[in-house]
């Protein structure tokens, strides 16, 4: 986490009924998040709130999801240069920042680089 970031909880579902924890997204206010391998439905909320935002249904068949949590907008896409630097949340909760993304014309392969950083919390 860096200064000014907020934490959002993310859950996913194949049927919109049974929800599974996907991870926590640390992001700046107004900053969209990229998610990898999201099932049909996704819902989210700031961690300090109890109420989930309305679930969003899949919009396409790309493997990456662009999510604007404040506006409640979801789009499946191939990331481009305009997405470099955005937070990327992977299944299981690992989060990094997108460094580069390249997809091949066959639509079945892609290369990407995500930078991960960590910080130890002091023991009390």
């Amino acid at each position: 986490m860096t200064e000014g970031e907020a934490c959002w909880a993310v859950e996913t579902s194949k049927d919109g009924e049974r929800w599974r924890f996907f991870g926590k997204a640390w992001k700046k206010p107004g900053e969209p998040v990229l998610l990898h391998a999201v099932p049909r439905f996704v819902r989210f909320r700031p961690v300090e709130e109890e109420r989930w935002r309305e679930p969003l249904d899949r919009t396409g068949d790309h493997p990456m999801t662009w999510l604007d949590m404040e506006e409640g907008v979801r789009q499946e896409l191939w990331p481009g240069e305009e997405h470099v630097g955005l937070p990327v949340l992977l299944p299981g909760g690992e989060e990094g920042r997108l460094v580069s993304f390249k997809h091949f014309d066959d639509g079945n392969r892609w290369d990407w680089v995500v930078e991960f950083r960590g910080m130890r919390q002091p023991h009390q």
Side-chain angles (χ1 to χ4, degrees):
M1 177 182 97
T2 61
E3 188 72 31
E5 289 185 340
C7 185
W8 290 66
V10 179
E11 290 187 342
T12 59
S13 174
K14 292 179 182 178
D15 60 11
E17 299 290 325
R18 294 170 297 202
W19 293 92
R20 298 181 103 172
F21 179 73
F22 190 82
K24 290 182 180 178
W26 288 93
K27 60 184 233 47
K28 299 171 188 158
E31 181 177 49
V33 175
L34 295 169
L35 294 92
H36 179 21
V38 175
R40 180 173 173 194
F41 294 100
V42 63
R43 70 181 184 180
F44 43 87
R45 64 178 172 79
V47 293
E48 69 274 0
E49 294 181 14
E50 290 186 28
R51 189 179 60 81
W52 293 94
R53 305 289 163 84
E54 286 298 313
L56 299 176
D57 201 346
R58 178 171 278 287
T59 63
D61 65 350
H62 294 81
M64 298 292 290
T65 300
W66 177 91
L67 194 57
D68 182 328
M69 294 173 168
E70 284 87 358
E71 296 295 322
V73 177
R74 173 184 177 167
Q75 179 183 5
E76 273 62 42
L77 51 67
W78 291 112
E81 287 297 317
E82 68 274 22
H83 302 108
V84 169
L86 289 180
V88 177
L89 185 59
L90 303 174
E94 290 293 328
E95 184 188 53
R97 293 269 170 178
L98 185 66
V99 174
S100 67
F101 191 97
K102 173 187 171 189
H103 78 277
F104 296 87
D105 291 336
D106 67 6
N108 295 317
R109 296 180 300 137
W110 55 91
D111 292 336
W112 60 325
V113 176
V114 178
E115 178 181 60
F116 297 94
R117 293 185 178 180
M119 181 173 60
R120 295 180 85 143
Q121 298 295 323
H123 290 96
Q124 309 245 338

